[in-house]
Amino acid sequence: MASALDRLADEIVDHRFRGLPPDAEGRTVGDLAGERRDLRTGGFTTPVLTLSAEALDHNMRALGEFAGRHGLAFAPHGKTSMAPALFQQQIDHGAWGITVAVPHQARVARAFGIRRIFLANEVVDAAALAWLAGELAADQEFRCVVYADSLRGVELMDDALRAAGATRPLEVVVELGTPGGRTGARGAEQAAAVAAAVNASPVLALVGVAGYEGEVPDADAENVRTWLRELVSLATALDADDQFAATGEIIVSAGGSAWFDAVAEVFAELPELSRPVLGLLRSGAYVSHDDGRYREITPFNRLPQEGSLQPAFRLWAQVVSRPEPGLALINAGKRDVAYDLDLPEVQALRGASGATVPARGLSVTRLSDQHAFVRGEDADLPEVGDWVGLGMSHPCTIFDKWQLIPVVDADGSVVDFVRTFF
């Protein structure tokens, strides 16, 4: 029987999916991928978002190898892409499991067979907890770990799981926060109280501690490491108080895409505990990387000997108007590109000759709903009808705009498609 992932290839190409060739209507996604059409000449329409096959593979290998060198397990944050095909590729590259942020994302991961889910958020919704109880009962190999940061939250989890007739305890990590930050217990004393409440529940099992260093206010190398050491100290103190009796391994988890070097450094300082420690890194934006914010903040800039990441996205749009000197309007705007951190970069041009050349002296100065304003010297501006290749910033708000994304090989052939579920 075909898996849910295999069945994505049977989805019919139609009006739901932007940028795909109109003459492919009615074919399956798998058939279209098998044709290996050239992005430039195969009938794709603009705007069209693409992913580089080579960059995706490079990035998955880079973070997997980094985690392995530092003795860390890896549960990449799936909310970045919400793409089951990428989840599976990450698992194939050695990931422990997939991290998600809300129950809906966990349902998507389960629908596509993910057996280990780190739900990096508090879950106090009774319906979602009942669903989790059912999943745990139905599949003895399924693991789901969720956050807790308050006594009230633990009470709500306990009530909902009991009402659902839970037959297996739900695994819980105490989330450590920081004043002025996001969720998470404020300080060791509050965290210890939450841990004790979890251990008092027969339908919950305390398995570790976790948090997110990216939400430390005014994050820099010093205060991120300070917070990470507080997290390590919390794990050590709870273990000394025998709070992890319900688990065979202690999870200590942190790590976005900006400070995974600091996570590796500080987690290496963990003393020997009563049980084996699973140091769990959760970076997510690395999978596609970008041409903006994450390019600037990746730890590989600080540690080039540890690896590198490559931007995988490129969005192709077309010049539709040259209404005045120094201005070209292209047919991609806020509906198509990420713009919450940085505006797109103009990187490449493709004119009537079909050749792709680097762009010179051009910039996107603003966006409207369906247009981007590209400015530069008239001699450097593309003509009406030319294609413009954009690099973009912030993967988390790129993937969510596109349901089916062509994966392009180095020679320009479309070799696969990535389906997203937001």
Side-chain angles (χ1 to χ4, degrees), residues 192-246:
V194 173
V198 170
N199 276 326
S201 168
V203 291
L204 300 173
L206 185 70
V207 298
V209 300
Y212 175 47
E213 74 290 341
E215 281 296 319
V216 173
D218 303 315
D220 60 23
E222 181 179 356
N223 58 25
V224 163
R225 283 172 172 81
T226 296
W227 179 86
L228 286 165
R229 290 189 172 98
E230 292 173 1
L231 184 68
V232 165
S233 294
L234 176 62
T236 304
L238 292 177
D239 186 53
D241 198 29
D242 199 27
Q243 293 294 314
F244 296 123

Side-chain angles (χ1 to χ4, degrees), residues 16 18 42 81 128 141-142 150 157 174 186 197-198 200 230 242 248 250 283 299-300 310-311 327 374 378 409:
R16 292 170 296 163
R18 291 182 285 163
S81 69
E141 295 185 21
F142 173 49
S150 70
M157 285 194 288
V174 175
R186 298 317 198 235
V198 170
E230 292 173 1
D242 199 27
I250 300 169
S283 309
F300 289 145
Q310 298 174 359
L327 175 64
V374 177
D378 280 345
D409 221 338

Side-chain angles (χ1 to χ4, degrees), residues 51-307:
L51 282 163
S52 161
E54 290 80 10
L56 288 174
D57 184 71
H58 172 90
N59 294 343
M60 290 185 197
R61 290 182 187 278
L63 253 292
E65 290 170 359
F66 175 88
R69 281 195 302 273
H70 293 276
L72 299 172
F74 189 34
H77 217 312
K79 62 93 176 171
T80 299
S81 69
M82 286 307 297
L86 296 185
F87 295 173
Q88 188 57 54
Q89 289 180 46
Q90 290 167 315
I91 297 291
D92 292 344
H93 278 80
W96 173 91
I98 296 296
T99 297
V100 298
V102 292
H104 159 70
Q105 295 168 0
R107 291 184 64 196
V108 172
R110 284 298 287 157
F112 288 89
I114 300 301
R115 287 284 178 85
R116 291 174 178 167
I117 294 175
F118 193 90
L119 206 170
N121 207 345
E122 283 69 24
V123 182
V124 295
D125 183 306
L129 288 161
W131 171 78
L132 276 173
E135 291 294 299
L136 289 166
D139 183 354
Q140 294 300 304
E141 295 185 21
F142 173 49
R143 289 187 67 182
C144 183
V145 180
V146 305
Y147 279 2
D149 73 351
S150 70
L151 299 181
R152 175 60 175 161
V154 173
E155 179 185 8
L156 289 170
M157 285 194 288
D158 179 83
D159 288 347
L161 291 169
R162 286 173 187 261
T167 58
R168 288 175 60 198
L170 178 62
E171 296 182 75
V172 176
V173 290
V174 175
E175 184 190 10
L176 181 67
T178 187
R182 202 168 59 186
T183 53
R186 298 317 198 235
E189 183 176 348
Q190 183 178 336
V194 173
V198 170
N199 276 326
S201 168
V203 291
L204 300 173
L206 185 70
V207 298
V209 300
Y212 175 47
E213 74 290 341
E215 281 296 319
V216 173
D218 303 315
D220 60 23
E222 181 179 356
N223 58 25
V224 163
R225 283 172 172 81
T226 296
W227 179 86
L228 286 165
R229 290 189 172 98
E230 292 173 1
L231 184 68
V232 165
S233 294
L234 176 62
T236 304
L238 292 177
D239 186 53
D241 198 29
D242 199 27
Q243 293 294 314
F244 296 123
T247 184
E249 66 179 4
I250 300 169
I251 295 174
V252 182
S253 180
S257 294
W259 296 104
F260 56 76
D261 57 335
V263 173
E265 175 189 321
V266 175
F267 279 16
E269 300 171 3
L270 264 163
E272 184 174 349
L273 301 182
S274 64
R275 291 158 177 78
V277 172
L278 183 74
L280 194 60
L281 187 67
R282 304 195 310 272
S283 309
Y286 85 98
V287 68
S288 61
H289 199 44
D290 74 0
D291 283 296
R293 178 66 59 88
Y294 286 93
R295 175 186 61 199
E296 301 302 322
I297 65 175
T298 175
F300 289 145
N301 290 341
R302 299 185 288 272
L303 299 170
Q305 73 278 9
E306 287 272 21

Side-chain angles (χ1 to χ4, degrees), residues 317-318 320-321 327-334 336-337 343-344 346 363-375 390:
Q318 202 165 14
V320 294
S321 179
L327 175 64
L329 276 298
I330 60 176
N331 63 342
K334 293 178 181 178
D336 313 296
V337 305
L343 290 174
V346 182
S363 61
V364 173
T365 58
R366 70 183 179 98
L367 300 171
S368 60
D369 284 353
Q370 303 290 176
H371 296 90
F373 291 66
V374 177
R375 293 195 177 272
L390 302 176

